[in-house]
Amino acid sequence: MDKEELRSLIDEVDSQLLVLLNRRASLVIELWKLKKAQNLPLYDHAREERVRDKACKVNKGPLTASAVIHLFQCIIEQSRLVAALQLDLDE
């Protein structure tokens, strides 16, 4: 494969990642709405740790465990921000 073919494949993966990240964020928004309606805490640190731990366990590389933890921490933080914003907008 040449450079342009590889870049094209990377662009496709990036588009797929974006679809999945937005789907995840939408699910977090729905979960927070449910938790809010049931007067449950929105933030669950233990759950977030389990998500990161599970991601590390299923990771087959070449990403390191440290990279996976960092990526998932960013995903979780951004999902929380989007959900919080959405709940504020809905009020």
Side-chain angles (χ1 to χ4, degrees), residues 24 48 71-82:
R24 187 187 195 286
E48 292 179 3
L71 287 168
F72 271 81
Q73 187 60 41
C74 289
I75 291 167
I76 290 166
E77 287 173 5
Q78 292 305 308
S79 296
R80 263 194 266 129
L81 286 171
V82 167

Side-chain angles (χ1 to χ4, degrees), residues 20-81:
L20 292 171
L21 290 169
N22 277 301
R23 174 72 176 135
R24 187 187 195 286
S26 294
L27 291 169
V28 172
I29 291 166
E30 291 306 311
L31 177 62
W32 276 36
K33 287 179 181 178
L34 179 71
K35 286 179 166 185
K36 187 175 181 182
Q38 296 177 356
N39 292 316
L40 297 171
L42 300 178
Y43 177 73
D44 185 346
H45 182 72
R47 165 70 179 153
E48 292 179 3
E49 283 186 22
R50 289 192 305 272
V51 168
R52 288 189 301 269
D53 290 346
K54 182 180 177 185
C56 286
K57 286 179 185 171
V58 300
N59 177 40
K60 302 222 186 299
L63 290 174
T64 64
S66 176
V68 170
I69 289 168
H70 179 73
L71 287 168
F72 271 81
Q73 187 60 41
C74 289
I75 291 167
I76 290 166
E77 287 173 5
Q78 292 305 308
S79 296
R80 263 194 266 129
L81 286 171

